[in-house]
Amino acid sequence: MDIGITVGDDLDRLAASSDRFDFCELGLGEPTLVPEDADPDRVADALCGRDLCVHLPYSQRLASYAPEINDAIVAYQRRLLDGAGDLGASKAVLHATSADRDDVEFREVAADQLRRVADAGRDAGVEVVVENVGHQHEGLQLSVLAEIAEDADVPICFDVGHAYMEGGNKAIQRFLRRHGDRVSHLHCHDVRRRGDTHLPVGAGEVDYGHVETHLPEFDGTVALEVFTDDETLLLDSAERVASRLGAEF
């Protein structure tokens, strides 16, 4: 199991992050960090030997009702994934969003879009992992995410805090019990129900015991998505997650 840190699209933050992390997860896409404009040497220097994962654009919808727009979405993600592959990325996180998450028939379109983007990732040598964002207006619910990920045969990035925001600790437990074998990547942070998110692990209400119980031999990647540059808090969060998953940090 590898433990890393998210750094947004900030190459300076990437360079300043602790070398104790195995990898960094870097945000790619317009308007800030376009792969074609990213200097591979600068990225490599900032990584300083660590591995690279990327996060595809946060606000880009996965599926729309217009076939022409869906084709354009896939083409855009393909361009970003080709760029990520050129930078040496091993994984790319994709938000599971849709034009209408409550339209049951439309879920087939979302699954097909996911399949197409994942295929583009394979062509680029990058594993696409689809992330739960069901707490957001356009985010697919956890149950739907599991369904389309299985249909498209795509691994999941399970965001523990997002799952808590969607359905509390019971949602975390239920999803991991049923679908933990599809999880390849974790986003770990803490949350309070009043709306505070991306807190250091241990500062909120998430029960990481459910992660420990249902991912006892997890051998994927774990990215801390804690919104702070305080290295002490980040390293403490990493140690807390590692201890839950039976790993050393």
Side-chain angles (χ1 to χ4, degrees):
M1 186 183 77
D2 292 333
I3 299 180
I5 186 173
T6 64
V7 295
D9 54 15
D10 190 338
L11 291 177
D12 291 332
R13 188 171 181 229
L14 171 64
S17 57
S18 173
D19 60 7
R20 289 185 61 188
F21 291 106
D22 300 308
F23 69 91
C24 294
E25 186 179 302
L26 180 67
L28 285 185
E30 278 77 3
T32 51
L33 188 58
V34 183
E36 298 95 313
D37 296 338
D39 181 348
D41 292 334
R42 184 184 176 195
V43 173
D45 288 345
L47 285 168
C48 197
R50 295 167 297 183
D51 293 332
L52 176 66
C53 295
V54 299
H55 199 304
L56 297 169
Y58 301 93
S59 59
Q60 176 61 60
R61 213 183 255 174
L62 173 61
S64 83
Y65 277 105
E68 299 91 340
I69 294 176
N70 287 335
D71 290 343
I73 291 170
V74 173
Y76 175 46
Q77 300 288 21
R78 179 179 291 277
R79 174 167 65 82
L80 296 179
L81 287 162
D82 286 343
D86 290 342
L87 292 173
S90 58
K91 288 186 179 181
V93 178
L94 174 72
H95 277 182
T97 55
S98 171
D100 188 345
R101 70 180 198 168
D102 297 318
D103 185 337
V104 175
E105 294 183 359
F106 189 63
R107 292 172 188 173
E108 293 184 10
V109 176
D112 186 58
Q113 283 290 96
L114 177 58
R115 187 180 299 108
R116 295 171 71 192
V117 175
D119 286 345
R122 294 185 187 100
D123 292 343
V126 181
E127 179 187 59
V128 172
V129 292
V130 60
E131 179 182 1
N132 57 298
V133 286
H135 64 300
Q136 298 177 359
H137 176 67
E138 294 184 335
L140 294 173
Q141 303 93 327
L142 282 166
S143 59
V144 178
L145 171 68
E147 177 184 316
I148 71 165
E150 182 175 354
D151 287 348
D153 193 22
V154 173
I156 288 171
C157 166
F158 185 68
D159 189 301
V160 182
H162 290 177
Y164 179 86
M165 291 297 290
E166 182 176 345
N169 283 309
K170 288 184 179 179
I172 297 171
Q173 180 184 36
R174 183 167 53 248
F175 188 90
L176 291 180
R177 184 176 66 243
R178 296 174 180 173
H179 310 291
D181 59 344
R182 189 164 288 279
V183 176
S184 163
H185 191 63
L186 287 170
H187 275 176
C188 291
H189 53 102
D190 220 325
V191 175
R192 295 192 187 102
R193 178 58 80 177
R194 68 186 185 186
D196 301 328
T197 63
H198 299 92
L199 302 171
V201 175
E205 300 163 357
V206 173
D207 184 355
Y208 272 88
H210 296 315
V211 180
E212 179 179 16
T213 297
H214 297 291
L215 296 177
E217 298 179 357
F218 186 69
D219 62 354
T221 44
V222 178
L224 291 178
E225 202 169 36
V226 176
F227 290 174
T228 180
D229 289 325
D230 188 309
E231 187 171 289
T232 299
L233 292 175
L234 293 170
L235 295 177
D236 179 71
S237 291
E239 289 168 356
R240 287 172 182 266
V241 172
S243 67
R244 286 291 192 179
L245 294 173
E248 294 184 1
F249 176 75

